[in-house]
Amino acid sequence: MRKIDLQFVKERYIYIYAYIYLFISIVLFLLGNVKYVFSIPITIILIVGLVKSIKNSPKMTVSLLKSKKMIIILCLIIFWTFISGIGGFVWQNTWDHKFRNALFNDLVRYSWPVIQNSKALCYYLGFWLPSALVGKIFNLEIGYLFQTFWAILGISITFGIICQHLKKIKISNMILMIFFSGLDIFLYLIFSGLSIRESFNGIINGSHLELVTQYFNSSSNTTLMFWLYNQIIPFWVGIMLILQQENRKSIVFIYSLLLIFSPFPLVALIPVLVYLIFKDYEGDKKYDTLWMSMWEKIKSTCTYENVISIFLFVIVGLFFLSNIAVGEINILNINITIVFKYLCYIFFEYIVYLVFIYKKNDRNPILNILIITTFVLPFICLGTSYDFAWRTCIPLSFYIMLLIMKTFQDSDVNKKTKIFLIIILCLGAITPLTEIIRTVKNEVLVIKGDIKARSDSLTSIFEKEFNECYENFIGETDSLFYKYISK
């Protein structure tokens, strides 16, 4: 029996790591923030679902640990993670990291749930929970170091599953992942209001290229790593787990594991989730009527692990509803300028790549669904923020990247097409290069002792007078979650 268990682990270890990676944060969130009368039984119930989901994992087809290429890939991942500023051992982009470091400090400093002056910390904080626990046990600096390790681990798991998805280990795919981006350089030239010379100077000095259209933004992978690592790394792990599923038994469960990490990208995945529930898998029975077929698919989706995911939907959903920034849903006021910006955004972020990959993927339901959602959702605003539009496009960009990786592996695609695609990718790589340039320039100043690497001007997320984004991180303690569910 033991040999069978070991063989099972050997055949599926990358998926086991992925599930455990996400699940650790779920357990810490429940036990740290929810009354034990709820959290302990729910955790036990979810552990059973986790085991069932792991048993449902497909067999691995690529031997990751036997490949010497993985050593180079791991070095690239470590380098990418450190220069992103995660942990603050290399210069951090001051704005976003200021808030994230303050939040992390509060998680380490205060007991969970974090409540100060009748206000609660309420944010998608899943990524930080393991490293915050380490920080509590040892000290803050060790916590930051573990945060860096946790990021490296998450990206390594993601790329390991990408190798399984593509059935090949390629160093070039890791390089593509680091440098993949839309052609923000053209949007920057059109909308920045700068001359060509000023634009060029901005690029070589590491200007941030991606917000010139204001309402519309699709961030490069490196930008997401350098600014929004807490959302993107767990999302990458989760979406790759979803894409690797060979049936519908665990799809809803995986989706629910991602809620505490990155809720906005998950909105764009809702139609994909519906498709994956109703698509035909190998082994599905054939029925005479569409209704019977759909009903049977619904029944086969109602597995133990999928059904119990309702606990996470309810608890995490109520937790987020406590946030004081939860506002009205508005539609973007459309005018000629906005339409022009939108069309340019769609063309330079997506169309430039779709012209190369769509012919071979025109019947790919996931691609078509993501195109529709990504083209529509930018017009929706939550309150006064455009974050919803900026994050719901993440799944399409990531999926296009995967299809480009497949295109380069496809021997049927002619060399001329691949060469033109490489040229477009090189133009897109300007965006992540500017992010790296900015970090390198400022890291030189750090080494000289002129500035700090870690952005620590905000010591606590509760410092309202110094926190420009205070409402994004704070929850009301008179909400349903904090009245009846929270410890």
Side-chain angles (χ1 to χ4, degrees):
M1 187 69 173
R2 189 176 179 182
K3 289 183 179 180
I4 295 175
D5 290 341
L6 289 174
Q7 183 63 25
F8 178 88
V9 171
K10 185 178 179 180
E11 291 174 345
R12 294 167 176 84
Y13 62 84
I14 194 65
Y15 304 114
I16 295 173
Y17 294 159
Y19 275 112
I20 293 175
Y21 184 85
L22 298 175
F23 196 72
I24 286 174
S25 293
I26 298 297
V27 172
L28 291 177
F29 173 75
L30 290 174
L31 297 181
N33 294 273
V34 177
K35 290 176 181 177
Y36 290 133
V37 68
F38 298 129
S39 62
I40 291 175
I42 290 174
T43 298
I44 294 170
I45 290 168
L46 290 173
I47 288 173
V48 176
L50 178 73
V51 172
K52 287 180 175 290
S53 295
I54 289 173
K55 287 182 178 180
N56 187 47
S57 300
K59 287 185 179 180
M60 294 171 61
T61 57
V62 176
S63 299
L64 299 171
L65 300 179
K66 294 181 180 179
S67 174
K68 293 180 180 179
K69 294 178 182 178
M70 288 304 297
I71 298 174
I72 299 174
I73 289 166
L74 182 59
C75 289
L76 288 171
I77 291 171
I78 292 171
F79 175 75
W80 193 31
T81 304
F82 268 97
I83 65 167
S84 72
I86 299 173
F89 301 103
V90 173
W91 180 83
Q92 299 176 318
N93 286 289
T94 306
W95 179 257
D96 270 24
H97 283 273
K98 174 176 72 173
F99 305 110
R100 283 158 175 73
N101 290 341
L103 186 152
F104 182 68
N105 291 347
D106 288 339
L107 284 171
V108 173
R109 185 187 304 129
Y110 301 121
S111 60
W112 300 349
V114 179
I115 298 175
Q116 294 293 308
N117 300 318
S118 299
K119 297 294 183 183
L121 175 59
C122 183
Y123 194 68
Y124 19 98
L125 43 74
F127 174 83
W128 291 292
L129 294 177
S131 49
L133 179 62
V134 171
K136 282 181 178 294
I137 295 171
F138 298 99
N139 58 54
L140 182 63
E141 205 60 30
I142 298 297
Y144 272 118
L145 183 61
F146 191 84
Q147 190 181 126
T148 308
F149 163 76
W150 199 244
I152 292 169
L153 180 61
I155 299 165
S156 301
I157 291 170
T158 299
F159 193 76
I161 306 179
I162 287 175
C163 293
Q164 299 302 316
H165 185 70
L166 301 173
K167 297 179 172 56
K168 207 163 189 178
I169 302 171
K170 294 183 69 175
I171 297 171
S172 59
N173 283 341
M174 188 65 237
I175 295 172
L176 176 57
M177 186 173 177
I178 293 171
F179 289 101
F180 180 71
S181 174
L183 304 190
D184 301 288
I185 176 61
F186 291 102
L187 296 175
Y188 186 70
L189 291 171
I190 295 169
F191 297 109
S192 67
L194 302 174
S195 66
I196 298 295
R197 183 176 180 177
E198 289 171 330
S199 298
F200 179 74
N201 286 335
I203 292 166
I204 63 175
N205 284 292
S207 292
H208 190 60
L209 306 183
E210 294 172 296
L211 298 179
V212 288
T213 55
Q214 185 181 358
Y215 316 102
F216 314 111
N217 168 43
S218 178
S219 298
S220 72
N221 290 335
T222 290
T223 304
L224 293 168
M225 277 286 291
F226 282 39
W227 296 78
L228 299 161
Y229 60 93
N230 60 296
Q231 294 186 56
I232 198 59
I233 295 173
F235 178 77
W236 284 339
V237 173
I239 192 172
M240 288 313 305
L241 266 180
I242 289 173
L243 292 175
Q244 284 298 96
Q245 296 304 297
E246 296 177 342
N247 53 55
R248 59 184 69 85
K249 290 181 179 180
S250 305
I251 288 174
V252 182
F253 181 75
I254 299 169
Y255 186 91
S256 70
L257 293 180
L258 295 175
L259 289 172
I260 197 62
F261 300 101
S262 44
F264 285 172
L266 291 185
V267 174
L269 280 188
I270 292 174
V272 174
L273 188 70
V274 173
Y275 160 71
L276 292 174
I277 289 172
F278 290 104
K279 71 170 283 191
D280 292 324
Y281 291 95
E282 186 177 344
D284 282 349
K285 295 179 181 179
K286 303 298 180 184
Y287 293 90
D288 296 333
T289 65
L290 177 62
W291 167 248
M292 282 298 298
S293 177
M294 292 178 66
W295 176 242
E296 288 301 317
K297 289 172 181 177
I298 291 172
K299 287 200 297 183
S300 64
T301 304
C302 294
T303 58
Y304 174 90
E305 52 268 43
N306 283 339
V307 170
I308 62 166
S309 64
I310 192 171
F311 288 114
L312 287 178
F313 284 113
V314 172
I315 291 175
V316 177
L318 289 174
F319 172 70
F320 285 145
L321 286 175
S322 303
N323 190 285
I324 62 178
V326 175
E328 297 178 358
I329 299 176
N330 301 304
I331 303 298
L332 195 63
N333 291 322
I334 299 174
N335 54 47
I336 294 176
T337 301
I338 287 178
V339 170
F340 180 62
K341 286 184 176 181
Y342 171 77
L343 292 175
C344 289
Y345 158 77
I346 292 297
F347 180 81
F348 288 114
E349 297 291 351
Y350 307 111
I351 303 299
V352 289
Y353 290 121
L354 290 173
V355 294
F356 293 99
I357 64 173
Y358 194 74
K359 186 176 180 180
K360 284 215 163 204
N361 297 279
D362 61 336
R363 296 187 179 181
N364 183 329
I366 295 178
L367 177 61
N368 288 322
I369 290 169
L370 289 177
I371 288 173
I372 293 170
T373 56
T374 304
F375 286 15
V376 171
L377 291 177
F379 293 100
I380 298 175
C381 304
L382 297 183
T384 58
S385 171
Y386 303 114
D387 281 5
F388 181 78
W390 295 349
R391 307 300 165 236
T392 50
C393 64
I394 288 173
L396 176 60
S397 296
F398 187 78
Y399 196 68
I400 286 175
M401 181 197 73
L402 293 177
L403 293 178
I404 289 173
M405 291 176 178
K406 281 186 178 181
T407 299
F408 282 118
Q409 292 179 195
D410 191 344
S411 57
D412 293 335
V413 178
N414 63 64
K415 289 184 179 179
K416 186 180 291 186
T417 298
K418 291 180 180 179
I419 290 171
F420 278 117
L421 185 50
I422 289 171
I423 293 171
I424 298 298
L425 288 167
C426 287
L427 290 171
I430 293 172
T431 301
L433 279 172
T434 58
E435 297 294 318
I436 294 170
I437 289 169
R438 186 188 321 117
T439 295
V440 171
K441 284 173 69 68
N442 283 285
E443 182 59 22
V444 171
L445 297 177
V446 172
I447 294 170
K448 288 180 178 179
D450 295 339
I451 59 174
K452 290 182 178 180
R454 188 171 295 152
S455 179
D456 59 2
S457 60
L458 185 66
T459 58
S460 171
I461 214 71
F462 294 94
E463 293 180 346
K464 189 174 183 178
E465 63 273 27
F466 303 113
N467 184 352
E468 300 92 331
C469 298
Y470 175 81
E471 293 184 350
N472 289 350
F473 301 94
I474 302 300
E476 297 286 6
T477 52
D478 61 352
S479 65
L480 285 174
F481 178 82
Y482 285 101
K483 275 185 175 181
Y484 304 108
I485 297 175
S486 173
K487 288 198 297 187

